[in-house]
Every structure is written in structure tokens, then in C-alpha cells.
Amino acid sequence: MKEAKLVSILVPAHFKLYLEDCPKTTQEVDEMEKVLHASVADSLMYAIVCTHQDIAYAINLVSRFMKDLGKQHWMVVKEILRYLKGFVNTSLKYGKDSQNSGGAKGYVDAYFAGDRDKRRSLT
């Protein structure tokens, strides 16, 4: 991923992950077994805990399919890596900052019945 282009949006709307994207043929299963997706997912989980809480939703989305990761799922994992590449020289600073006296801000979005496989709402 060293030569990959950066992306500014984490998991754009055109990425939809479903159970039907899981490998179905023996050839697809064999091809996806060569991918080190579990190792990459573990590393991304570490990034969530330590520095990048912003990728938590995307990792949650991909982690649902870790048992049977398909090509579409792997594309999302690579998209997350391309997103993180833009933050290589960025760090978090904890403490009092005179320019940010308003404190931390957070945003939430909800999608009613957005999980097509189980018909659950996503937040």
C-alpha cells in the first residue's frame, strides 16, 4: 500500500457490504485465504484504540465478514488503509489548548434498517 493514492473520505457510500459478497466457489475461497485480512484487521483494531477512533465504524462493518471475507470486503479494508495513509504525520495532542476552549466535538449518524442482511439499524 506504499504507492496507494490517498482518500479523504472513509468508506464512501458506494461501498455496501453484504453476506452475498462472501466467497461462494472453492476458487474464490482459495484466493481469499491468501489475503492476510485477519492480521490487517487486528492492526486496524489497535489503531482504533490508540489513535484513530474515526475508523471504528468502518472496522465494525468489515469485521462482520472476517470469517468469509470476499473481494468487496477486502476492497473496503484497503480503502481504510488508504485513508489512514493520509494521517501518517498526524498525531493527537491531549491537554489544555487555548485555541480549542470548546472541548471535543462528536457527530453521530443513524441509518434505519440499513443492515440488509439482518434488517438492523446502523448508528
Side-chain angles (χ1 to χ4, degrees):
M1 298 296 297
K2 285 182 181 181
E3 303 300 321
K5 293 181 182 178
L6 302 178
V7 293
S8 59
I9 299 172
L10 182 61
V11 189
H14 69 274
F15 280 114
K16 302 286 185 198
L17 301 180
Y18 305 111
L19 287 172
E20 63 192 39
D21 296 327
C22 295
K24 293 172 187 59
T25 66
T26 329
Q27 181 183 3
E28 289 175 346
V29 171
D30 291 343
E31 187 177 325
M32 291 311 296
E33 282 180 353
K34 297 174 186 172
V35 177
L36 299 173
H37 54 79
S39 176
V40 172
D42 287 345
S43 298
L44 291 173
M45 293 278 198
Y46 180 79
I48 290 171
V49 172
C50 296
T51 58
H52 281 281
Q53 292 82 18
D54 57 334
I55 65 170
Y57 173 74
I59 297 301
N60 177 8
L61 191 65
V62 173
S63 295
R64 297 177 195 170
F65 304 98
M66 275 298 132
K67 181 180 169 207
D68 291 320
L69 195 76
K71 287 182 182 181
Q72 183 71 9
H73 307 126
W74 181 240
M75 285 175 55
V76 173
V77 172
K78 291 194 302 187
E79 194 78 7
I80 296 167
L81 293 172
R82 289 174 57 201
Y83 173 79
L84 288 176
K85 186 178 177 187
F87 295 98
V88 171
N89 296 320
T90 305
S91 62
L92 294 174
K93 180 181 176 186
Y94 294 101
K96 207 172 213 179
D97 186 358
S98 61
Q99 292 183 356
N100 188 13
S101 59
K105 293 182 183 177
Y107 301 92
V108 172
D109 191 11
Y111 184 30
F112 181 70
D115 184 349
R116 190 170 113 188
D117 297 320
K118 296 187 180 179
R119 304 305 301 163
R120 289 187 277 190
S121 296
L122 304 173
T123 303

